[in-house]
Amino acid sequence: MIDQLNAQFAIPDHIQFLSGPGEFPIAALQNGYGSAAVSVYGGHVLSYQPTGHEPVIWVSQLANYEAGSAIRGGIPIIFPWFGSHPADTSKPSHGFARRSMWQVTQTAQAASGETSITLVLTDTSATTALWPHQFKLSVTVTLGTRLEVSMRCDNLGDAAITMTNALHTYFAVADSTNITIKGLERIDYLDQLNDMQRKSSALPIQIAAEVDRIYLENSQQVDIVDPGLARTIHIRKQGSQSTVVWNPWIEKSARMGDFGDAEYLEMVCVEAGNVGDAAVTIAPNASHETRQIIWTE
Ligand code: TA6
């Protein structure tokens, strides 16, 4: 498969495919702006490192790379439902997209230097058994002065479909107890740790316990200020009515088999999506796109 992917989609000096952990095919992107890696399994960004900076995206040292499992870290593609399935908790949490093998459909090297790759997941008997709809889900990753990740759902059926989604991004930080997350002050959020109570705070977010919040907003820029790495990670989004902020803290970290007990100190999730009441309905032959734009300075 790797030889076939390289024959079809490699771009000398910019995109090469290699066999990664679990023998998952990985696309390695590089250019003057930096480097990134994308797993064909899950359509899943595993790394992003701008030139001259520390890695921006985090992956657990204990991540599973097994068919059917979700990779812990990176940018999991959450589709077609966020969290537990609304009617059947036996179905995989956060949907099936991140647990499926995708197809590479396009790679490109722009004259301006950006390198991009598009991967696609379309309905199969396995997905139809979980979610009886015809769809095409495309993820396009563009490595330039910023990392842009776009997930687009095309409704290929003859009935409207309703989905929730997220780009469930794990960001690398020096010490999660010493960061400040700005941009969500005075924005209402649902507290997933307190019966989805609706709350807000005038203060920027600091992590001193488990945090699991669904912010009800569609346009803020969020900044992760990280003095330990002497940098700020900037995050913008489009096509997203919800921003999820999550850190598992001590107890939940210890309960997750694919997450090191102390790894809560190394990461924070800031996710762009459409969650809960922000579910998106897509008419037949229509599409919806959610995009997250990441850069650091
Ligand atoms: O993004 C927040 C969240 O919904 C948390 O509640 C936590 O469950 C996290 O996602 C990870 O979920 P996962 O299914 O990947 O373990």
Side-chain angles (χ1 to χ4, degrees):
M1 176 187 272
I2 300 299
D3 293 344
Q4 189 179 347
L5 284 168
N6 278 316
Q8 267 192 287
F9 298 109
I11 299 178
D13 301 326
H14 296 299
I15 296 187
Q16 183 185 6
F17 292 85
L18 46 95
S19 182
E23 296 187 2
F24 287 159
I26 305 284
L29 282 64
Q30 66 176 20
N31 58 35
Y33 298 113
S35 63
V38 185
S39 167
V40 177
Y41 175 81
H44 194 129
V45 174
L46 296 178
S47 67
Y48 165 48
Q49 183 164 13
T51 301
H53 288 272
E54 294 294 315
V56 171
I57 299 295
W58 176 91
V59 173
S60 172
Q61 294 294 319
L62 303 185
N64 291 320
Y65 296 88
E66 297 158 15
S69 293
I71 300 169
R72 177 67 63 193
I75 307 181
I77 301 298
I78 308 301
F79 174 89
W81 60 81
F82 182 93
S84 300
H85 185 277
D88 179 351
T89 53
S90 71
K91 293 184 176 179
S93 76
H94 285 328
F96 50 72
R98 65 176 181 166
R99 303 167 188 262
S100 302
M101 185 59 78
W102 291 47
Q103 301 292 322
V104 179
T105 57
Q106 184 180 13
T107 53
Q109 180 64 28
S112 48
E114 288 86 7
T115 307
S116 62
I117 184 169
T118 297
L119 304 100
V120 165
L121 178 70
T122 52
D123 55 280
T124 64
S125 55
T127 67
T128 303
L130 291 169
W131 194 62
H133 302 292
Q134 294 171 286
F135 68 90
K136 178 173 83 168
L137 188 66
S138 309
V139 165
T140 297
V141 180
T142 304
L143 174 65
T145 54
R146 302 175 177 182
L147 184 78
E148 284 202 24
V149 183
S150 160
M151 66 186 292
R152 171 188 162 122
C153 176
D154 289 271
N155 179 357
L156 304 182
D158 53 15
I161 56 178
T162 297
M163 57 117 191
T164 52
N165 72 348
L167 295 165
H168 193 298
T169 309
Y170 288 71
F171 290 97
V173 298
D175 174 354
S176 62
T177 67
N178 185 31
I179 61 172
T180 305
I181 301 173
K182 297 182 174 179
L184 295 166
E185 299 84 287
R186 288 175 292 282
I187 303 285
D188 281 6
Y189 65 88
L190 304 179
D191 186 348
Q192 294 216 84
L193 302 173
N194 286 288
D195 299 324
M196 303 299 269
Q197 282 179 31
R198 191 170 180 134
K199 303 178 180 178
S200 70
S201 168
L203 300 175
I205 302 166
Q206 294 193 305
I207 310 283
E210 185 176 355
V211 171
D212 197 348
R213 303 176 181 179
I214 299 171
Y215 284 84
L216 310 174
E217 60 80 29
N218 61 6
S219 62
Q220 305 299 330
Q221 175 173 315
V222 174
D223 292 337
I224 303 173
V225 180
D226 183 350
L229 286 175
R231 73 171 179 197
T232 296
I233 297 174
H234 303 290
I235 309 159
R236 282 195 183 151
K237 65 175 192 174
Q238 294 160 3
S240 159
Q241 297 289 329
S242 317
T243 293
V244 181
V245 177
W246 178 57
N247 183 284
W249 201 243
I250 298 167
E251 289 76 20
K252 188 154 190 176
S253 298
R255 292 199 302 269
M256 294 189 286
D258 60 351
F259 195 99
D261 290 359
E263 286 188 324
Y264 69 93
L265 292 168
E266 303 172 6
M267 51 66 68
V268 66
C269 283
V270 177
E271 309 156 31
N274 298 277
V275 175
D277 293 345
V280 174
T281 296
I282 307 174
N285 304 311
S287 64
H288 178 275
E289 186 170 3
T290 297
R291 184 184 298 247
Q292 193 174 54
I293 300 125
I294 300 161
W295 74 102
T296 188
E297 56 191 4

PDB file of all heavy atoms in Angstrom, residues 111-144:
ATOM      1  N   ALA A 111       2.274  26.884  -5.553  1.00  0.00           N
ATOM      2  CA  ALA A 111       3.425  27.724  -5.957  1.00  0.00           C
ATOM      3  C   ALA A 111       3.866  28.597  -4.781  1.00  0.00           C
ATOM      4  O   ALA A 111       5.053  28.911  -4.627  1.00  0.00           O
ATOM      5  CB  ALA A 111       3.026  28.594  -7.142  1.00  0.00           C
ATOM      6  N   SER A 112       2.892  28.935  -3.925  1.00  0.00           N
ATOM      7  CA  SER A 112       3.223  29.790  -2.770  1.00  0.00           C
ATOM      8  C   SER A 112       3.837  28.992  -1.629  1.00  0.00           C
ATOM      9  O   SER A 112       4.143  29.548  -0.571  1.00  0.00           O
ATOM     10  CB  SER A 112       1.944  30.499  -2.288  1.00  0.00           C
ATOM     11  OG  SER A 112       0.902  29.533  -2.184  1.00  0.00           O
ATOM     12  N   GLY A 113       3.988  27.659  -1.819  1.00  0.00           N
ATOM     13  CA  GLY A 113       4.731  26.871  -0.830  1.00  0.00           C
ATOM     14  C   GLY A 113       3.901  25.993   0.073  1.00  0.00           C
ATOM     15  O   GLY A 113       4.446  25.140   0.774  1.00  0.00           O
ATOM     16  N   GLU A 114       2.553  26.175   0.078  1.00  0.00           N
ATOM     17  CA  GLU A 114       1.729  25.325   0.951  1.00  0.00           C
ATOM     18  C   GLU A 114       1.661  23.905   0.383  1.00  0.00           C
ATOM     19  O   GLU A 114       1.604  23.717  -0.845  1.00  0.00           O
ATOM     20  CB  GLU A 114       0.285  25.872   1.045  1.00  0.00           C
ATOM     21  CG  GLU A 114       0.141  27.144   1.850  1.00  0.00           C
ATOM     22  CD  GLU A 114       0.394  28.380   0.999  1.00  0.00           C
ATOM     23  OE1 GLU A 114       0.550  28.205  -0.220  1.00  0.00           O
ATOM     24  OE2 GLU A 114       0.448  29.492   1.563  1.00  0.00           O
ATOM     25  N   THR A 115       1.641  22.977   1.306  1.00  0.00           N
ATOM     26  CA  THR A 115       1.530  21.552   0.959  1.00  0.00           C
ATOM     27  C   THR A 115       0.207  21.035   1.522  1.00  0.00           C
ATOM     28  O   THR A 115      -0.119  21.362   2.673  1.00  0.00           O
ATOM     29  CB  THR A 115       2.694  20.765   1.580  1.00  0.00           C
ATOM     30  OG1 THR A 115       3.935  21.385   1.201  1.00  0.00           O
ATOM     31  CG2 THR A 115       2.689  19.310   1.121  1.00  0.00           C
ATOM     32  N   SER A 116      -0.559  20.309   0.703  1.00  0.00           N
ATOM     33  CA  SER A 116      -1.856  19.860   1.220  1.00  0.00           C
ATOM     34  C   SER A 116      -2.131  18.417   0.820  1.00  0.00           C
ATOM     35  O   SER A 116      -1.567  17.890  -0.150  1.00  0.00           O
ATOM     36  CB  SER A 116      -2.978  20.761   0.689  1.00  0.00           C
ATOM     37  OG  SER A 116      -3.043  20.675  -0.726  1.00  0.00           O
ATOM     38  N   ILE A 117      -3.006  17.813   1.603  1.00  0.00           N
ATOM     39  CA  ILE A 117      -3.465  16.441   1.340  1.00  0.00           C
ATOM     40  C   ILE A 117      -4.947  16.359   1.668  1.00  0.00           C
ATOM     41  O   ILE A 117      -5.413  17.034   2.605  1.00  0.00           O
ATOM     42  CB  ILE A 117      -2.671  15.404   2.180  1.00  0.00           C
ATOM     43  CG1 ILE A 117      -3.092  13.965   1.822  1.00  0.00           C
ATOM     44  CG2 ILE A 117      -2.814  15.659   3.672  1.00  0.00           C
ATOM     45  CD1 ILE A 117      -2.177  12.905   2.409  1.00  0.00           C
ATOM     46  N   THR A 118      -5.687  15.628   0.873  1.00  0.00           N
ATOM     47  CA  THR A 118      -7.106  15.390   1.135  1.00  0.00           C
ATOM     48  C   THR A 118      -7.340  13.889   1.266  1.00  0.00           C
ATOM     49  O   THR A 118      -6.835  13.096   0.452  1.00  0.00           O
ATOM     50  CB  THR A 118      -7.991  15.969   0.006  1.00  0.00           C
ATOM     51  OG1 THR A 118      -7.828  17.392  -0.030  1.00  0.00           O
ATOM     52  CG2 THR A 118      -9.472  15.650   0.253  1.00  0.00           C
ATOM     53  N   LEU A 119      -8.078  13.546   2.309  1.00  0.00           N
ATOM     54  CA  LEU A 119      -8.470  12.145   2.539  1.00  0.00           C
ATOM     55  C   LEU A 119      -9.991  12.092   2.610  1.00  0.00           C
ATOM     56  O   LEU A 119     -10.645  13.061   3.019  1.00  0.00           O
ATOM     57  CB  LEU A 119      -7.862  11.627   3.842  1.00  0.00           C
ATOM     58  CG  LEU A 119      -6.339  11.739   3.970  1.00  0.00           C
ATOM     59  CD1 LEU A 119      -5.981  12.942   4.821  1.00  0.00           C
ATOM     60  CD2 LEU A 119      -5.762  10.468   4.587  1.00  0.00           C
ATOM     61  N   VAL A 120     -10.542  10.962   2.251  1.00  0.00           N
ATOM     62  CA  VAL A 120     -11.997  10.821   2.163  1.00  0.00           C
ATOM     63  C   VAL A 120     -12.455   9.524   2.817  1.00  0.00           C
ATOM     64  O   VAL A 120     -11.771   8.500   2.759  1.00  0.00           O
ATOM     65  CB  VAL A 120     -12.427  10.850   0.662  1.00  0.00           C
ATOM     66  CG1 VAL A 120     -13.840  10.351   0.475  1.00  0.00           C
ATOM     67  CG2 VAL A 120     -12.303  12.276   0.123  1.00  0.00           C
ATOM     68  N   LEU A 121     -13.607   9.627   3.490  1.00  0.00           N
ATOM     69  CA  LEU A 121     -14.305   8.460   4.034  1.00  0.00           C
ATOM     70  C   LEU A 121     -15.724   8.499   3.476  1.00  0.00           C
ATOM     71  O   LEU A 121     -16.409   9.530   3.603  1.00  0.00           O
ATOM     72  CB  LEU A 121     -14.349   8.504   5.566  1.00  0.00           C
ATOM     73  CG  LEU A 121     -15.110   7.353   6.251  1.00  0.00           C
ATOM     74  CD1 LEU A 121     -14.348   6.034   6.097  1.00  0.00           C
ATOM     75  CD2 LEU A 121     -15.341   7.678   7.735  1.00  0.00           C
ATOM     76  N   THR A 122     -16.139   7.429   2.831  1.00  0.00           N
ATOM     77  CA  THR A 122     -17.522   7.367   2.345  1.00  0.00           C
ATOM     78  C   THR A 122     -18.229   6.199   3.029  1.00  0.00           C
ATOM     79  O   THR A 122     -17.583   5.323   3.619  1.00  0.00           O
ATOM     80  CB  THR A 122     -17.560   7.157   0.816  1.00  0.00           C
ATOM     81  OG1 THR A 122     -16.730   6.036   0.487  1.00  0.00           O
ATOM     82  CG2 THR A 122     -17.070   8.388   0.091  1.00  0.00           C
ATOM     83  N   ASP A 123     -19.555   6.221   2.925  1.00  0.00           N
ATOM     84  CA  ASP A 123     -20.340   5.215   3.644  1.00  0.00           C
ATOM     85  C   ASP A 123     -20.014   3.807   3.159  1.00  0.00           C
ATOM     86  O   ASP A 123     -19.730   3.581   1.976  1.00  0.00           O
ATOM     87  CB  ASP A 123     -21.837   5.495   3.499  1.00  0.00           C
ATOM     88  CG  ASP A 123     -22.270   5.604   2.047  1.00  0.00           C
ATOM     89  OD1 ASP A 123     -22.057   6.681   1.456  1.00  0.00           O
ATOM     90  OD2 ASP A 123     -22.754   4.583   1.496  1.00  0.00           O
ATOM     91  N   THR A 124     -20.003   2.909   4.112  1.00  0.00           N
ATOM     92  CA  THR A 124     -19.771   1.482   3.843  1.00  0.00           C
ATOM     93  C   THR A 124     -20.862   0.705   4.582  1.00  0.00           C
ATOM     94  O   THR A 124     -21.656   1.292   5.321  1.00  0.00           O
ATOM     95  CB  THR A 124     -18.405   1.032   4.411  1.00  0.00           C
ATOM     96  OG1 THR A 124     -18.468   1.188   5.859  1.00  0.00           O
ATOM     97  CG2 THR A 124     -17.261   1.875   3.872  1.00  0.00           C
ATOM     98  N   SER A 125     -20.875  -0.593   4.409  1.00  0.00           N
ATOM     99  CA  SER A 125     -21.875  -1.388   5.145  1.00  0.00           C
ATOM    100  C   SER A 125     -21.654  -1.228   6.653  1.00  0.00           C
ATOM    101  O   SER A 125     -22.606  -1.149   7.436  1.00  0.00           O
ATOM    102  CB  SER A 125     -21.757  -2.875   4.750  1.00  0.00           C
ATOM    103  OG  SER A 125     -20.425  -3.329   4.958  1.00  0.00           O
ATOM    104  N   ALA A 126     -20.368  -1.086   7.038  1.00  0.00           N
ATOM    105  CA  ALA A 126     -20.072  -0.937   8.474  1.00  0.00           C
ATOM    106  C   ALA A 126     -20.607   0.388   8.991  1.00  0.00           C
ATOM    107  O   ALA A 126     -21.223   0.453  10.065  1.00  0.00           O
ATOM    108  CB  ALA A 126     -18.560  -1.022   8.696  1.00  0.00           C
ATOM    109  N   THR A 127     -20.434   1.467   8.221  1.00  0.00           N
ATOM    110  CA  THR A 127     -20.930   2.766   8.717  1.00  0.00           C
ATOM    111  C   THR A 127     -22.456   2.808   8.651  1.00  0.00           C
ATOM    112  O   THR A 127     -23.112   3.350   9.540  1.00  0.00           O
ATOM    113  CB  THR A 127     -20.360   3.945   7.907  1.00  0.00           C
ATOM    114  OG1 THR A 127     -20.871   3.910   6.569  1.00  0.00           O
ATOM    115  CG2 THR A 127     -18.842   3.920   7.872  1.00  0.00           C
ATOM    116  N   THR A 128     -23.010   2.197   7.603  1.00  0.00           N
ATOM    117  CA  THR A 128     -24.479   2.219   7.463  1.00  0.00           C
ATOM    118  C   THR A 128     -25.148   1.472   8.611  1.00  0.00           C
ATOM    119  O   THR A 128     -26.211   1.880   9.099  1.00  0.00           O
ATOM    120  CB  THR A 128     -24.883   1.608   6.111  1.00  0.00           C
ATOM    121  OG1 THR A 128     -24.233   2.334   5.051  1.00  0.00           O
ATOM    122  CG2 THR A 128     -26.395   1.648   5.902  1.00  0.00           C
ATOM    123  N   ALA A 129     -24.471   0.429   9.091  1.00  0.00           N
ATOM    124  CA  ALA A 129     -25.028  -0.316  10.238  1.00  0.00           C
ATOM    125  C   ALA A 129     -25.093   0.570  11.476  1.00  0.00           C
ATOM    126  O   ALA A 129     -25.969   0.406  12.327  1.00  0.00           O
ATOM    127  CB  ALA A 129     -24.163  -1.546  10.522  1.00  0.00           C
ATOM    128  N   LEU A 130     -24.162   1.533  11.542  1.00  0.00           N
ATOM    129  CA  LEU A 130     -24.126   2.433  12.706  1.00  0.00           C
ATOM    130  C   LEU A 130     -24.938   3.708  12.475  1.00  0.00           C
ATOM    131  O   LEU A 130     -25.443   4.325  13.406  1.00  0.00           O
ATOM    132  CB  LEU A 130     -22.666   2.805  13.008  1.00  0.00           C
ATOM    133  CG  LEU A 130     -21.778   1.683  13.546  1.00  0.00           C
ATOM    134  CD1 LEU A 130     -20.313   2.113  13.531  1.00  0.00           C
ATOM    135  CD2 LEU A 130     -22.202   1.285  14.959  1.00  0.00           C
ATOM    136  N   TRP A 131     -24.996   4.123  11.191  1.00  0.00           N
ATOM    137  CA  TRP A 131     -25.603   5.428  10.848  1.00  0.00           C
ATOM    138  C   TRP A 131     -26.110   5.321   9.414  1.00  0.00           C
ATOM    139  O   TRP A 131     -25.340   5.394   8.468  1.00  0.00           O
ATOM    140  CB  TRP A 131     -24.537   6.521  10.981  1.00  0.00           C
ATOM    141  CG  TRP A 131     -25.032   7.928  10.993  1.00  0.00           C
ATOM    142  CD1 TRP A 131     -25.862   8.508  11.913  1.00  0.00           C
ATOM    143  CD2 TRP A 131     -24.697   8.957  10.057  1.00  0.00           C
ATOM    144  NE1 TRP A 131     -26.062   9.829  11.611  1.00  0.00           N
ATOM    145  CE2 TRP A 131     -25.365  10.137  10.473  1.00  0.00           C
ATOM    146  CE3 TRP A 131     -23.906   9.007   8.911  1.00  0.00           C
ATOM    147  CZ2 TRP A 131     -25.259  11.340   9.786  1.00  0.00           C
ATOM    148  CZ3 TRP A 131     -23.783  10.209   8.224  1.00  0.00           C
ATOM    149  CH2 TRP A 131     -24.464  11.360   8.652  1.00  0.00           C
ATOM    150  N   PRO A 132     -27.414   5.085   9.241  1.00  0.00           N
ATOM    151  CA  PRO A 132     -27.958   4.667   7.932  1.00  0.00           C
ATOM    152  C   PRO A 132     -28.085   5.811   6.925  1.00  0.00           C
ATOM    153  O   PRO A 132     -29.188   6.152   6.481  1.00  0.00           O
ATOM    154  CB  PRO A 132     -29.335   4.105   8.308  1.00  0.00           C
ATOM    155  CG  PRO A 132     -29.744   4.889   9.515  1.00  0.00           C
ATOM    156  CD  PRO A 132     -28.474   5.154  10.280  1.00  0.00           C
ATOM    157  N   HIS A 133     -26.943   6.372   6.557  1.00  0.00           N
ATOM    158  CA  HIS A 133     -26.960   7.498   5.605  1.00  0.00           C
ATOM    159  C   HIS A 133     -25.798   7.369   4.626  1.00  0.00           C
ATOM    160  O   HIS A 133     -24.725   6.875   4.949  1.00  0.00           O
ATOM    161  CB  HIS A 133     -26.857   8.825   6.365  1.00  0.00           C
ATOM    162  CG  HIS A 133     -27.955   9.039   7.363  1.00  0.00           C
ATOM    163  ND1 HIS A 133     -29.279   9.247   7.002  1.00  0.00           N
ATOM    164  CD2 HIS A 133     -27.937   9.034   8.723  1.00  0.00           C
ATOM    165  CE1 HIS A 133     -30.014   9.374   8.085  1.00  0.00           C
ATOM    166  NE2 HIS A 133     -29.241   9.257   9.147  1.00  0.00           N
ATOM    167  N   GLN A 134     -26.015   7.912   3.410  1.00  0.00           N
ATOM    168  CA  GLN A 134     -24.948   7.965   2.398  1.00  0.00           C
ATOM    169  C   GLN A 134     -24.251   9.323   2.522  1.00  0.00           C
ATOM    170  O   GLN A 134     -24.923  10.372   2.536  1.00  0.00           O
ATOM    171  CB  GLN A 134     -25.557   7.821   1.001  1.00  0.00           C
ATOM    172  CG  GLN A 134     -26.186   6.447   0.736  1.00  0.00           C
ATOM    173  CD  GLN A 134     -26.955   6.464  -0.577  1.00  0.00           C
ATOM    174  OE1 GLN A 134     -28.036   7.039  -0.652  1.00  0.00           O
ATOM    175  NE2 GLN A 134     -26.341   5.904  -1.603  1.00  0.00           N
ATOM    176  N   PHE A 135     -22.935   9.283   2.629  1.00  0.00           N
ATOM    177  CA  PHE A 135     -22.198  10.540   2.853  1.00  0.00           C
ATOM    178  C   PHE A 135     -20.807  10.424   2.252  1.00  0.00           C
ATOM    179  O   PHE A 135     -20.325   9.326   1.949  1.00  0.00           O
ATOM    180  CB  PHE A 135     -22.083  10.837   4.356  1.00  0.00           C
ATOM    181  CG  PHE A 135     -21.196   9.844   5.067  1.00  0.00           C
ATOM    182  CD1 PHE A 135     -19.830  10.081   5.196  1.00  0.00           C
ATOM    183  CD2 PHE A 135     -21.716   8.652   5.557  1.00  0.00           C
ATOM    184  CE1 PHE A 135     -19.000   9.148   5.816  1.00  0.00           C
ATOM    185  CE2 PHE A 135     -20.896   7.714   6.169  1.00  0.00           C
ATOM    186  CZ  PHE A 135     -19.537   7.950   6.301  1.00  0.00           C
ATOM    187  N   LYS A 136     -20.176  11.585   2.066  1.00  0.00           N
ATOM    188  CA  LYS A 136     -18.730  11.610   1.797  1.00  0.00           C
ATOM    189  C   LYS A 136     -18.129  12.608   2.778  1.00  0.00           C
ATOM    190  O   LYS A 136     -18.565  13.760   2.825  1.00  0.00           O
ATOM    191  CB  LYS A 136     -18.435  12.044   0.359  1.00  0.00           C
ATOM    192  CG  LYS A 136     -16.929  12.130   0.074  1.00  0.00           C
ATOM    193  CD  LYS A 136     -16.623  12.383  -1.389  1.00  0.00           C
ATOM    194  CE  LYS A 136     -16.704  13.828  -1.749  1.00  0.00           C
ATOM    195  NZ  LYS A 136     -16.125  14.092  -3.098  1.00  0.00           N
ATOM    196  N   LEU A 137     -17.195  12.148   3.587  1.00  0.00           N
ATOM    197  CA  LEU A 137     -16.517  13.024   4.545  1.00  0.00           C
ATOM    198  C   LEU A 137     -15.103  13.246   4.024  1.00  0.00           C
ATOM    199  O   LEU A 137     -14.386  12.298   3.726  1.00  0.00           O
ATOM    200  CB  LEU A 137     -16.486  12.360   5.927  1.00  0.00           C
ATOM    201  CG  LEU A 137     -15.990  13.223   7.083  1.00  0.00           C
ATOM    202  CD1 LEU A 137     -16.953  14.379   7.350  1.00  0.00           C
ATOM    203  CD2 LEU A 137     -15.847  12.375   8.355  1.00  0.00           C
ATOM    204  N   SER A 138     -14.751  14.515   3.839  1.00  0.00           N
ATOM    205  CA  SER A 138     -13.406  14.835   3.329  1.00  0.00           C
ATOM    206  C   SER A 138     -12.655  15.641   4.375  1.00  0.00           C
ATOM    207  O   SER A 138     -13.224  16.568   4.966  1.00  0.00           O
ATOM    208  CB  SER A 138     -13.514  15.678   2.051  1.00  0.00           C
ATOM    209  OG  SER A 138     -14.392  15.062   1.122  1.00  0.00           O
ATOM    210  N   VAL A 139     -11.402  15.288   4.578  1.00  0.00           N
ATOM    211  CA  VAL A 139     -10.530  16.088   5.443  1.00  0.00           C
ATOM    212  C   VAL A 139      -9.374  16.600   4.585  1.00  0.00           C
ATOM    213  O   VAL A 139      -8.725  15.819   3.898  1.00  0.00           O
ATOM    214  CB  VAL A 139      -9.989  15.256   6.627  1.00  0.00           C
ATOM    215  CG1 VAL A 139      -8.819  15.961   7.309  1.00  0.00           C
ATOM    216  CG2 VAL A 139     -11.094  14.998   7.646  1.00  0.00           C
ATOM    217  N   THR A 140      -9.205  17.898   4.586  1.00  0.00           N
ATOM    218  CA  THR A 140      -8.074  18.501   3.875  1.00  0.00           C
ATOM    219  C   THR A 140      -7.165  19.179   4.887  1.00  0.00           C
ATOM    220  O   THR A 140      -7.634  19.969   5.712  1.00  0.00           O
ATOM    221  CB  THR A 140      -8.552  19.512   2.820  1.00  0.00           C
ATOM    222  OG1 THR A 140      -9.339  18.813   1.833  1.00  0.00           O
ATOM    223  CG2 THR A 140      -7.361  20.182   2.117  1.00  0.00           C
ATOM    224  N   VAL A 141      -5.887  18.816   4.853  1.00  0.00           N
ATOM    225  CA  VAL A 141      -4.874  19.380   5.752  1.00  0.00           C
ATOM    226  C   VAL A 141      -3.923  20.218   4.890  1.00  0.00           C
ATOM    227  O   VAL A 141      -3.378  19.713   3.905  1.00  0.00           O
ATOM    228  CB  VAL A 141      -4.087  18.268   6.471  1.00  0.00           C
ATOM    229  CG1 VAL A 141      -3.032  18.852   7.402  1.00  0.00           C
ATOM    230  CG2 VAL A 141      -5.039  17.352   7.247  1.00  0.00           C
ATOM    231  N   THR A 142      -3.780  21.487   5.236  1.00  0.00           N
ATOM    232  CA  THR A 142      -2.903  22.386   4.483  1.00  0.00           C
ATOM    233  C   THR A 142      -1.826  22.941   5.400  1.00  0.00           C
ATOM    234  O   THR A 142      -2.140  23.549   6.437  1.00  0.00           O
ATOM    235  CB  THR A 142      -3.710  23.547   3.869  1.00  0.00           C
ATOM    236  OG1 THR A 142      -4.763  22.994   3.054  1.00  0.00           O
ATOM    237  CG2 THR A 142      -2.824  24.450   3.021  1.00  0.00           C
ATOM    238  N   LEU A 143      -0.580  22.669   5.044  1.00  0.00           N
ATOM    239  CA  LEU A 143       0.584  23.106   5.841  1.00  0.00           C
ATOM    240  C   LEU A 143       1.176  24.349   5.171  1.00  0.00           C
ATOM    241  O   LEU A 143       1.714  24.269   4.057  1.00  0.00           O
ATOM    242  CB  LEU A 143       1.636  21.987   5.887  1.00  0.00           C
ATOM    243  CG  LEU A 143       2.968  22.307   6.547  1.00  0.00           C
ATOM    244  CD1 LEU A 143       2.798  22.583   8.041  1.00  0.00           C
ATOM    245  CD2 LEU A 143       3.948  21.140   6.320  1.00  0.00           C
ATOM    246  N   GLY A 144       1.005  25.472   5.819  1.00  0.00           N
ATOM    247  CA  GLY A 144       1.556  26.740   5.317  1.00  0.00           C
ATOM    248  C   GLY A 144       2.035  27.552   6.506  1.00  0.00           C
ATOM    249  O   GLY A 144       2.507  26.984   7.497  1.00  0.00           O
TER     250      GLY A 144
END
